[in-house]
């Protein structure tokens, strides 16, 4: 699932739960729940295969994805720090995944990647990401719209 979607869900969780010690772990857990739903991702194959000299385009896409999420949150929320912290915690798992690519010998990051892959494959029953694009995109648009509605 793209980072914008994760950020909006994490922001929404943080906006609804006043205790940050509960809100932020739940924002983090929302990542795995969202990844279990049918979705498509943009390709980060060069990062996945550690072809670092070809990854600039992926990092630009990731940066723009994060910026888009932050802009939507700032437009549709009360802009309290806890909301942005929720958005941040909701994308930490993808950050750990990036870490596992940079440091493949890190056992904790590799273990996390197994959990992350498992959650991603729940919504992708044959594990080959052949979900029709219309469902993969519309599921995320729906989640973003619901999050924006709940953020207000
Ligand atoms: Zn993920």
């Amino acid at each position: 699932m793209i980072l914008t979607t994760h950020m909006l869900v994490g922001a929404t969780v943080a906006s609804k739960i006043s205790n940050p010690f509960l809100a932020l772990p739940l924002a983090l857990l929302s990542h795995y729940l969202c990844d279990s739903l049918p979705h498509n991702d943009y390709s980060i194959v060069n990062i996945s295969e550690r072809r670092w000299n070809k990854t600039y385009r992926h990092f630009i896409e990731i940066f723009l994805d994060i910026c888009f999420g932050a802009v939507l949150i700032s437009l549709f929320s009360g802009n309290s720090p806890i909301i942005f912290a929720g958005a941040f915690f909701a994308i930490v798992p993808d950050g750990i995944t990036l870490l596992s690519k940079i440091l493949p010998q890190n056992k904790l990051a590799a273990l996390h990647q197994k959990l992350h892959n498992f959650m991603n494959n729940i919504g992708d029953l044959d594990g080959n990401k052949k979900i029709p694009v219309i469902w993969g995109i519309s599921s995320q648009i729906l989640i973003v719209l619901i999050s924006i509605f709940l953020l207000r």
Side-chain angles (χ1 to χ4, degrees), residues 39-57:
H39 67 276
N40 291 108
D41 288 307
Y42 46 85
S43 170
I44 53 165
V45 67
N46 290 325
I47 292 175
S48 296
E49 297 179 3
R50 307 179 74 231
R51 291 189 293 251
W52 300 118
N53 59 336
K54 295 181 178 177
T55 56
Y56 68 94
R57 200 181 117 234

Side-chain angles (χ1 to χ4, degrees), residues 119-138:
M119 294 308 291
N120 263 293
N121 290 335
I122 288 176
D124 182 21
L125 294 178
D126 52 4
N128 62 9
K129 289 286 177 201
K130 285 187 177 170
I131 297 161
V133 174
I134 187 71
W135 293 116
I137 293 174
S138 59

